[in-house]
Amino acid sequence: MSILGTRVIRTEDPRFLTTGGVYTDDVRLPGACHVHFVRSAVAHARIRSVDVSAALQAPGVIAAFTGADLAGLPELAPPMAGMIKAQMSQPLLARDVVRYVGEPVAVVVTEGPYQGEDAADLVDVDYDVLPAVVEAAEAARDGSAVLFPAAGTNVAVSFRDAAEFKADLFDGCEVVVSRTIVNQRVAPAPMETRAAAAAWGEDGRLTAWIPNQGAQGTREALADMLGIDQAVLRVITPDVGGAFGAKFGADPEHAVVCWVARRLGRPARWAETRNENMVGMTHGRAQRQTVTIGGSRDGTVTAYRLEILQDSGAYPRFGAFLPFLTIMMAPGPYAIARAEAAATSVVTNTTPVGAYRGAGRPEATAAAERAMDLFAAEIGMDPAEVRRRNLLPAFTEPHATAFGAVYDSGDYEAALEVALSAAGYADLRAEQAKRRANGDVVQLGIGLSCYVEITGPGAEEGGPSENATVEVHPDGSATILTGTSPHGQGHATVWAMLASDELGIPVDKITVKWGDTDLIPEGGGTGGSRSLQQGGAAVQQASRELIDMARPRAAAELEANPADLVFDAGTSAFAVAGDPDASVSLAKLAGGGRLFVRAVFRAPGATFPFGTHVAVVDVDTETGQVVLRRVITVDDAGTVINPLLAEGQRHGGIAQGAAQAFLEEVIFDADGNPLTATLADYPFLSATEVPSFELADSQTPTSYNPLGAKGIGEAGTIGSTPAVQNAIIDALAHLGVRHIDMPASPQRVWQALQAAADPAGEAGSA
Ligand code: MCN
């Protein structure tokens, strides 16, 4: 019987729970010095001078370097070469200008790990302060201060052109609603902060240990910043304590640590503090969206427009590119006759924005789902009914949208109905009506979100791909090498399940390796929820090819015709058909010479998971306090290979998405000073703020890989944010509240209630 689809317990966990992981900061590196970054204390300034002389006298200090020392090194170029303005690249240490609080300006290198912090205080940076551009809207305004005079504009990149919006898009609509909504900036805040350890060998090669999401991509980014050949560089990925999209590639700090190691001729290491992480690691989201939705009073939506202003932060990273994905997914799961979208990404004097769980798709879903609720409220129809009337009907053949996406398969209506029924939707509405009629202080809110998202996208010619090597050893064990890079997703368990299912080797005898570029030179890493559908499919393919490869060897061993042999995964052996006594195991065959296959699986394209989330909240109308009572979800990611792990991904994702709706927000003051630089100021979600989630099962296989699997790693985050936000607003809808920007903090909820009770603001002005 196949073990695929069963709840195999994570094989990774015994080690994490007993001896603990080996993270980058745990890597033993005798003789290593410690790098400490001096970071800009102002958001925008010209650097007059950097004086490290006092720091050099401090205890334990070996050296200090500034941007001038690194002159000649390449800069961190914006991604998507040619698309985003090349003048907006980031020097590894700021040279003439600093553009955000937290930008690395200098380094102090010390013998001990904690001496750098004190010595860094002695580095004297003389700033000539420039006007800070903190808000994206301000950055986009004509006449605003410009961050990169050479670029002549703060616009890093535009996607489609709002000037070309059709004047008649909403003609014929009985109802049109428009609103500007904020998809606020959030911090990934992984448990393990950023780190690096670097050592140059006598052979002239550099080994860099870096927590990342794909050693091969990190090698490329590091080599680019250091101006060295990739062949000189070996990247090793130790255990990684969470990444959420923010550990792809490499940051300037990582390159500086490698440079220091070369310059000083001794190993160097760095691990950032939580405070540095909150200002230095890329943030996520940060979009201002204007949605306009129109249709008829019978609930049919006929036109939708989305205009996005993306805050990219000071240096365009993946964040500048996010709106591309938001636009691609703009109409979501709906059949809207006319839709258009456009986006502008601007630079501001704030921490750069990067990928964060969902990267561009949560923003699309949030916009569409808020729009649906605004429309429903305007026509006085149940939000579930409005969605039901506008969802695309079920399809099994690819469906192309007006925004360049090709949805592979979907049954959005079924997802909605299953979620509503699991939630007991009618009963919830009845309970809500009762509380409203009673005028209860604590009102009940029910929020919906229907979504479709994209997983495993890739620009590769021929389709996105991943490689895997499977090797069987003479002792009956096996090793898998994968180009994916798990950091909490459990690939070691599932990749072993996939190989075990084909080869009959027990899961606990299969070792999965990743994250060493000398061992696995190629790989796409883990992000975009691509790993199972491409990396897992490659493991299955390699396992199957291994059996094909072993067959002639088995035939020679058994002196039989290869065509007469059957492979029995139950015994992990070939036998002659009709003569079970004549058999030879894979292990025995491996004893006669290495038995391994490297396979590349190539998918025809990305897959499009979908689902519906229902959130239930209590909102205290006197204090504005929100309590999340229930979240019920359908997250259809095709065939599920390990429900335990897929559900774990959903639980984590839902929590993370819910946190955006009512808690988390990165805030800067008007001068660009971060006000949420510690976890005391940034209300990071914990288990006490969320209930246990109710997960309904739904599996609509895709034909894009033999597993039938789509991605599940980000779905929870994509669906939950708007469901929770909509629930909070729904609780107050009968009091006239139509919208509350995220995070719906008690203060914001209370203010929305006051504004609804007194629309003219007379009470306030009296
Ligand atoms: N799975 C399954 N059946 C499916 C789909 C997935 O059994 N149909 C299982 C897979 O075998 C794998 C896990 O679910 O064990 C997630 O697989 P997949 O959806 O392919 O996603 P990835 O492994 O590519 O993970 C990436 C995704 C992303 S993009 C972010 S961001 C994210 C996330 O995963 N960051 C995480 N989950 C995270 N979980 C943790 N603990 N930490 C992070 O930083």
Side-chain angles (χ1 to χ4, degrees):
M1 211 189 82
S2 173
I3 56 167
L4 302 190
T6 66
R7 306 173 77 84
V8 174
I9 293 175
R10 279 166 49 104
T11 55
E12 294 91 338
D13 287 345
R15 186 171 64 85
F16 284 123
L17 294 172
T18 54
T19 53
V22 177
Y23 299 92
T24 297
D25 204 33
D26 302 320
V27 171
R28 285 173 56 85
L29 210 51
C33 57
H34 296 263
V35 177
H36 187 91
F37 286 86
V38 178
R39 294 176 181 277
S40 175
V42 290
H44 197 193
R46 222 178 297 286
I47 299 176
R48 281 213 196 96
S49 62
V50 184
D51 181 358
V52 298
S53 54
L56 285 170
Q57 306 307 315
V61 172
I62 304 162
F65 302 107
T66 68
D69 295 301
L70 272 65
L73 276 190
E75 304 198 337
L76 176 61
M80 319 289 163
M83 188 187 268
I84 299 173
K85 298 219 165 47
Q87 299 94 331
M88 297 181 173
S89 58
Q90 178 176 1
L92 305 187
L93 292 176
R95 266 199 300 277
D96 307 319
V97 178
V98 287
R99 295 187 176 85
Y100 67 97
V101 172
E103 179 169 354
V105 175
V107 287
V108 176
V109 187
T110 56
E111 292 290 351
Y114 307 115
Q115 294 157 325
E117 187 133 18
D118 293 334
D121 284 345
L122 302 173
V123 174
D124 187 12
V125 187
D126 192 5
Y127 294 111
D128 188 2
V129 175
L130 297 168
V133 183
V134 182
E135 293 291 332
E138 188 189 335
R141 205 169 293 138
D142 279 345
S144 157
V146 173
L147 270 72
F148 298 88
T153 170
N154 287 324
V155 175
V157 56
S158 294
F159 302 97
R160 302 189 178 213
D161 188 355
E164 288 170 18
F165 278 161
K166 296 188 188 72
D168 59 356
L169 193 79
F170 295 94
D171 282 5
C173 292
E174 288 172 6
V175 176
V176 178
V177 198
S178 189
R179 182 120 219 168
T180 295
I181 59 185
V182 175
N183 204 290
Q184 84 274 27
R185 182 188 276 253
V186 291
M191 247 195 284
E192 181 205 22
T193 55
R194 294 178 301 164
W200 290 80
E202 283 177 3
D203 57 359
R205 290 190 80 213
L206 163 66
T207 303
W209 293 263
I210 291 176
N212 66 72
Q213 294 179 231
Q216 301 78 9
T218 297
R219 177 186 54 186
E220 186 181 346
L222 263 187
D224 284 352
M225 284 187 276
L226 291 166
I228 59 174
D229 196 289
Q230 285 196 47
V232 175
L233 177 54
R234 176 184 186 189
V235 172
I236 296 178
T237 312
D239 285 320
V240 177
F244 307 111
K247 287 181 181 168
F248 243 119
D251 292 336
E253 287 95 330
H254 298 122
V256 171
V257 175
C258 296
W259 180 88
V260 167
R262 183 170 56 184
R263 174 72 177 252
L264 297 181
R266 64 188 275 192
R269 64 190 318 151
W270 162 67
E272 70 180 353
T273 62
R274 178 59 62 187
N275 179 249
E276 282 183 285
N277 180 263
M278 293 301 285
V279 298
M281 179 179 243
T282 51
H283 294 151
R285 310 282 189 262
Q287 285 187 5
R288 178 172 292 269
Q289 309 169 324
T290 304
V291 293
T292 311
I293 186 167
S296 45
R297 292 202 174 271
D298 69 359
T300 313
V301 174
T302 48
Y304 176 63
R305 175 183 288 160
L306 173 62
E307 194 173 351
I308 301 163
L309 182 59
Q310 171 76 52
D311 180 354
S312 310
Y315 297 95
R317 305 277 292 266
F318 193 78
F321 181 72
L322 291 176
F324 178 86
L325 291 164
T326 309
I327 289 176
M328 178 182 266
M329 298 313 299
Y334 301 108
I336 304 176
R338 305 189 299 271
E340 55 188 21
T344 304
S345 297
V346 294
V347 287
T348 60
N349 291 116
T350 60
T351 301
V353 173
Y356 173 61
R357 205 167 189 174
R361 297 102 82 200
E363 295 88 327
T365 302
E369 291 307 293
R370 259 310 27 243
M372 280 289 160
D373 266 26
L374 287 168
F375 183 72
E378 198 62 28
I379 62 170
M381 189 178 276
D382 186 295
E385 187 54 31
V386 171
R387 286 171 171 79
R388 195 176 277 130
R389 287 182 190 214
N390 292 289
L391 286 172
L392 283 163
F395 58 97
T396 48
E397 292 300 314
H399 167 86
T401 74
F403 292 93
V406 183
Y407 299 173
D408 56 326
S409 63
D411 190 349
Y412 309 143
E413 291 176 57
L416 173 64
E417 298 309 333
V418 170
L420 291 177
S421 126
Y425 189 67
D427 291 347
L428 288 169
R429 285 285 174 211
E431 158 81 11
Q432 181 182 57
K434 207 177 343 161
R435 288 206 211 171
R436 285 182 178 179
N438 287 347
D440 285 1
V441 168
V442 177
Q443 288 290 328
L444 187 75
I446 307 146
L448 287 178
S449 143
C450 298
Y451 71 89
V452 56
E453 60 127 342
I454 176 171
T455 60
E460 274 176 76
E461 213 169 302
S465 72
E466 191 49 273
N467 73 86
T469 302
V470 175
E471 175 161 13
V472 174
H473 306 294
D475 65 357
S477 66
T479 302
I480 296 171
L481 308 182
T482 177
T484 67
S485 192
H487 43 280
Q489 294 87 351
H491 298 177
T493 306
V494 179
W495 284 203
M497 286 169 71
L498 289 163
S500 172
D501 195 56
E502 299 297 326
L503 304 175
I505 296 170
V507 165
D508 61 8
K509 287 188 141 185
I510 301 176
T511 305
V512 181
K513 294 186 177 173
W514 64 89
D516 178 340
T517 54
D518 275 7
L519 192 62
I520 306 160
E522 288 168 47
T526 286
S529 300
R530 66 182 293 273
S531 299
L532 177 63
Q533 58 190 295
Q534 288 153 24
V539 171
Q540 186 188 59
Q541 183 178 322
S543 306
R544 289 180 176 170
E545 288 178 11
L546 186 137
I547 292 169
D548 293 342
M549 197 188 135
R551 185 176 296 274
R553 282 208 218 171
E557 185 81 20
L558 296 170
E559 295 178 355
N561 185 335
D564 292 339
L565 295 185
V566 276
F567 181 75
D568 176 10
T571 55
S572 190
F574 286 97
V576 179
D579 181 7
D581 292 340
S583 75
V584 60
S585 68
L586 284 180
K588 173 131 193 269
L589 293 174
R594 279 186 72 184
L595 186 55
F596 73 98
V597 167
R598 178 180 186 275
V600 175
F601 172 76
R602 195 172 286 284
T607 59
F608 292 77
F610 59 91
T612 293
H613 286 203
V614 182
V616 184
V617 298
D618 279 339
V619 180
D620 188 315
T621 55
E622 288 178 350
T623 63
Q625 177 76 34
V626 172
V627 177
L628 185 57
R629 286 285 173 223
R630 295 172 65 197
V631 182
I632 305 99
T633 81
V634 170
D635 298 295
D636 192 321
T639 308
V640 172
I641 303 302
N642 185 327
L644 193 66
L645 296 190
E647 287 167 18
Q649 286 295 312
R650 290 167 69 187
H651 277 288
I654 294 165
Q656 213 159 5
Q660 186 184 3
F662 73 111
L663 282 173
E664 297 183 16
E665 179 175 30
V666 171
I667 302 173
F668 296 92
D669 73 9
D671 297 321
N673 296 305
L675 301 181
T676 45
T678 73
L679 291 185
D681 306 305
Y682 186 81
F684 192 69
L685 182 93
S686 75
T688 53
E689 281 91 21
V690 285
S692 189
F693 306 124
E694 300 161 52
L695 310 181
D697 188 35
S698 173
Q699 302 186 28
T700 308
T702 179
S703 61
Y704 281 22
N705 61 71
L707 305 174
K710 308 184 189 187
I712 193 68
E714 295 155 290
T717 322
I718 291 164
S720 66
T721 307
V724 176
Q725 185 186 20
N726 282 344
I728 296 166
I729 297 163
D730 178 68
L732 310 171
H734 64 300
L735 302 172
V737 174
R738 285 285 174 275
H739 180 75
I740 304 173
D741 269 327
M742 301 187 293
S745 59
Q747 190 182 12
R748 285 224 176 108
V749 170
W750 189 85
Q751 280 167 347
L753 277 166
Q754 305 313 303
D758 178 22
E762 282 161 12
S765 60

